Amino acid sequence: MEGAGIPKPAGPERGLAAGAASAVGESVPHAASAEDRGRFEGLIGEQLDGLYRSALRLTRNRSAAEDLVQEVMLKSWRSFHTFQEGTSVRAWLHRILMNAFFDAHRKQTREPEIAEQEDIGEFYLYDKVREGGALSEAGNPEVVLEQIMDSEVRESLEALPVQFRSAVLLADVEGFSYKEIADILGVPVGTVMSRLSRGRHQLQRQLWEFAKDRHLVRGDGR
Amino acid sequence: MNCEEAVEKVWQFLDKELDGASFSEMQKHLEECRHCFSKVEFEERLRAMLRRSCCSEQAPAELRERLSKLLRLF
């Protein structure tokens, strides 16, 4: 099996099964047994695509995303013995991913964190698209939505300040609950809700700009 | 529940974070108000679009292989 690579997940059901299996061991001895390694390898294999996608959205760079995922694997292996039965493998790995990313991010950038109270205003794409005269001949907000390209959606997400981006990514793409996101990011639930709200408004504003640029809608003052 | 309150709770509703009573109130409002219903539907589609656009990528095979080799060194 040398060089065969970490096995790919067989289907959505296996992720849960692997998570449950990995949680069975009460404490993993420090010296790794072949069994531990196998279990860990299976677990990482199941989660790799998701971790890589999250890393890519955060770093916005393929090689940086690969390095980040590798770091997550090394860190999670080191603390694999602390992994608690009954907790979500996916949430645990995302917590390690976010910590590793934000540690590096803080060192690399001097950009100040966005103040929690800074107001960027409410913006609902739906209302903008429906406003008089904004619609293209399609005449229906959903049709406008369908014409926005996947790459534009990803670009809009990646344009968000990283605090907002991480919250939106964890909620809307990964489907974590507010409580899980609060645990992953190490912030109160109220902060999660505020970051989500502002991140989503900002994302919609960005999508609106794309729609205007591509003349899917007629923007203000045109 | 009026439209203003419903708009405030759209995301919590879609995030499945409303408690039972608020969730029922919201559902009732959506049955009665076509405008709010359309808005919620739009938000739902937008989210599905975000998920789909971000979930199409897979980890490169080289990364999978690199990590596997690394694991064997442990």
Side-chain angles (χ1 to χ4, degrees):
Chain A
M1 287 293 282
E2 182 67 28
I6 286 175
K8 290 176 74 68
E13 297 304 317
R14 274 201 63 207
L16 290 172
S22 70
V24 170
E26 306 83 334
S27 71
V28 176
H30 197 67
S33 67
E35 192 193 334
D36 293 335
R37 198 166 52 206
R39 213 166 54 191
F40 181 75
E41 189 168 357
L43 186 151
I44 289 287
E46 295 284 350
Q47 304 294 331
L48 191 61
D49 285 336
L51 288 173
Y52 174 73
R53 287 192 288 255
S54 294
L56 200 53
R57 295 286 90 75
L58 291 171
T59 61
R60 298 182 288 202
N61 174 296
R62 289 184 185 276
S63 114
E66 291 193 24
D67 289 348
L68 180 57
V69 169
Q70 179 171 319
E71 188 183 346
V72 170
M73 190 191 77
L74 295 173
K75 286 191 164 152
S76 55
W77 172 249
R78 244 177 268 144
S79 54
F80 188 42
H81 62 285
T82 68
F83 180 72
Q84 297 287 313
E85 183 175 357
T87 52
S88 154
V89 179
R90 213 162 59 83
W92 178 61
L93 289 172
H94 266 86
R95 184 182 185 152
I96 295 172
L97 179 98
M98 289 292 169
N99 283 342
F101 170 75
F102 278 106
D103 278 351
H105 182 76
R106 270 189 291 270
K107 279 176 202 151
Q108 275 168 15
T109 56
R110 288 279 151 260
E111 124 191 10
E113 298 208 354
I114 295 206
E116 295 296 342
Q117 62 272 41
E118 188 183 319
D119 187 21
I120 56 163
E122 295 206 342
F123 185 97
Y124 286 104
L125 185 60
Y126 179 79
D127 295 339
K128 287 300 280 187
V129 171
R130 275 204 63 193
E131 265 170 27
L135 285 177
S136 63
E137 68 269 24
N140 167 344
E142 271 79 24
V143 173
V144 173
L145 215 52
E146 278 163 21
Q147 293 180 69
I148 297 175
M149 294 187 291
D150 283 0
S151 58
E152 292 171 331
V153 178
R154 288 197 294 266
E155 216 176 295
S156 300
L157 178 60
E158 289 179 4
L160 297 181
V162 78
Q163 283 87 4
F164 297 169
R165 200 187 327 149
S166 51
V168 173
L169 177 71
L170 291 169
D172 291 357
V173 180
E174 293 301 321
F176 287 115
S177 70
Y178 293 171
K179 174 75 175 63
E180 286 174 312
I181 299 171
D183 288 344
I184 289 170
L185 295 175
V187 297
V189 168
T191 304
V192 170
M193 290 170 72
S194 135
R195 287 183 186 180
L196 273 178
S197 167
R198 287 174 320 140
R200 285 164 172 168
H201 283 301
Q202 215 168 316
L203 179 79
Q204 297 197 3
R205 193 186 292 271
Q206 185 60 47
L207 289 171
W208 170 250
E209 294 301 323
F210 273 121
K212 269 199 307 189
D213 288 350
R214 292 197 26 230
H215 306 293
L216 302 176
V217 292
R218 287 201 298 276
D220 300 326
R222 198 200 118 175
Chain B
M1 182 179 282
N2 60 33
C3 293
E4 206 180 314
E5 290 165 327
V7 165
E8 238 171 65
K9 293 193 165 122
V10 165
W11 284 331
Q12 273 171 278
F13 176 74
L14 290 174
D15 291 333
K16 301 187 174 57
E17 298 275 355
L18 286 181
D19 60 44
S22 305
F23 187 85
S24 306
E25 271 184 59
M26 183 76 170
Q27 270 189 320
K28 188 163 175 288
H29 180 77
L30 294 180
E31 280 165 20
E32 291 162 356
C33 175
R34 203 170 143 214
H35 176 70
C36 286
F37 179 82
S38 301
K39 193 179 173 94
V40 168
E41 205 181 25
F42 181 88
E43 293 293 338
E44 223 166 5
R45 277 185 195 225
L46 189 59
R47 183 168 314 193
M49 192 169 100
L50 182 60
R51 189 167 299 169
R52 190 198 59 220
S53 69
C54 288
C55 288
S56 53
E57 295 145 309
Q58 293 185 326
E62 302 83 55
L63 176 65
R64 215 168 257 280
E65 207 166 303
R66 171 150 59 100
L67 296 187
S68 184
K69 279 184 181 155
L70 206 57
L71 256 178
R72 276 156 225 273
L73 299 176
F74 293 162

